[in-house]
Amino acid sequence: MISSLHRPTKAKITLDAVSQNIKAVMEHIPSNPKVWAVVKANAYGHGAIAVSHHIESQVDGFCVSNVDEAIELRQAGIKKSILVLGVVLPEEIYLAKDYHLSLTIASMDWYVLAKELGTSLKGLVCHIKVDSGMGRIGVRSQSEAEQLITSLESDGAIVEGIFTHFATADEADESQFNQQLSFFKTLIAGLEKCPPLVHASNSATSIWHAETVFNAVRLGVVIYGLNPSGYTLAMPYALTPALSLESALVHVKEVPAGVAIGYGGTYHSEQAEIIGTLPIGYADGWTRDMQDFKVLVDGQFCQIVGRVSMDQVTIRLPKRYPLGTRVTLIGENGQESLSATDVADKRGTINYEVLCLLSDRVPREYD
Ligand SMILES: *Cc1c(COP(=O)(O)O)cnc(C)c1O
């Protein structure tokens, strides 16, 4: 989808907020681990290239979810290490070598397939993934980890790291977290030769289990200034959200009582009302379930009335405002603010998804 520059809808990103958030998290970790910024999914909607350039000197490397995201960064001139967190099938290994990427290796089956395909693993930099209880990818026993490391090394691959991922680090109940941690620790301790980089900490772990960090952390949502638990666990220190979403009034009208607004006529004005229209809709990631939610105009909350369409949203205004009046959908406006977490709560989802769903049609503007 083309980025639509000639309308007042945009995501504004403060890159310095990302730097400040990384600093804040690292200051609260008692050890001194390596820092990898997780910039998958276009840096959670913030723009992977812009974010990565801005923080490259501050971090030790980057994590992405697939090879294409990694290549995007290399082509943009990013030089630091890039770890691909998802499984890359053996036929794509040549890309990892061409672009100097580190790959996640998650099973002996993968290794066997690579051998069957006759793929050379020489010089491939890899991290072994351990499934300590997340249940997605990774080896589930120490013997498989051991066998994988030995096999990869015998083929000339460089096993640089070993890692796992927690499923519940953002929850108040720590039982699964503790089980996963002890499984991973035991597995590591029993390895004949442990790879140099050991990492297990996502944002939530780095915040609420900072004492468990191994020698590297993978920081995702927290660097964008959001609480990984939503409103479940309180942040022990302040973060600054890096993204705000803004639009503007492009149409304002007064309607008498009883007038239908939007597809399906799901809303009828209750009395004489001022209705404003914004050029944003579900094709921008402002999903249909935002009906009845609110936006900010002139420091006041205004309700979204009627259906959210593909390209437009209608709101009820307290008075007539001029065309072009700024409207905030995420961020601050006057004394009030709306966060991605507020939006997520209304949708019954998590703030991550709200940001990732902002589509390419919304231009990203940086300061
Ligand atoms: C996405 C991801 C992260 C980052 O998660 P946050 O909760 O955003 O910090 C870290 N590790 C892995 C394996 C991931 O997939």
Side-chain angles (χ1 to χ4, degrees), residues 129 208 241 285 310 317 320 353 367:
K129 180 70 181 281
W208 294 295
M310 188 184 291
L317 293 164
R320 256 183 195 280
E353 192 182 37
D367 62 18

Side-chain angles (χ1 to χ4, degrees), residues 146-331:
E146 197 82 75
Q147 198 188 356
L148 199 46
I149 295 172
T150 313
S151 309
L152 287 164
E153 287 188 338
S154 71
D155 281 4
I158 300 149
V159 183
E160 179 185 60
I162 185 160
F163 73 111
T164 194
H165 192 48
F166 292 112
T168 60
D170 57 348
E171 292 181 12
D173 181 346
E174 301 187 348
S175 51
Q176 184 176 344
F177 178 87
N178 289 329
Q179 272 172 26
Q180 286 195 246
L181 181 63
S182 98
F183 179 93
F184 186 60
K185 275 188 170 166
T186 309
L187 188 146
I188 298 295
L191 288 178
E192 231 160 78
K193 183 177 146 219
C194 186
L197 290 171
V198 181
H199 48 112
S201 309
N202 56 359
S203 296
T205 308
S206 308
I207 298 165
W208 294 295
H209 303 275
E211 70 293 345
T212 71
V213 162
F214 293 86
N215 61 21
V217 292
R218 307 183 302 270
L219 302 180
V221 81
V222 75
I223 74 175
Y224 308 105
L226 296 177
N227 180 332
S229 81
Y231 288 126
T232 305
L233 301 178
M235 272 302 299
Y237 44 87
L239 298 173
T240 311
L243 179 145
S244 57
L245 179 64
E246 296 203 334
S247 189
L249 294 170
V250 293
H251 191 84
V252 176
K253 62 179 171 286
E254 185 170 348
V255 296
V259 168
I261 304 291
Y263 279 115
T266 60
Y267 177 78
H268 291 81
S269 48
E270 290 155 13
Q271 53 199 21
E273 288 175 355
I274 314 288
I275 302 292
T277 305
L278 318 177
I280 185 169
Y282 62 77
D284 298 291
W286 200 252
T287 50
R288 287 173 89 245
D289 48 11
M290 298 318 292
Q291 179 163 354
D292 300 332
F293 193 62
K294 53 201 173 175
V295 299
L296 280 163
V297 181
D298 192 21
Q300 306 157 86
F301 289 107
C302 300
Q303 195 187 330
I304 295 174
V305 293
R307 289 260 166 84
V308 170
S309 322
M310 188 184 291
D311 318 306
Q312 303 185 56
V313 160
T314 35
I315 63 175
R316 190 174 55 218
L317 293 164
K319 61 173 198 180
R320 256 183 195 280
Y321 280 97
L323 299 190
T325 300
R326 182 167 76 97
V327 178
T328 303
L329 295 98
I330 296 173

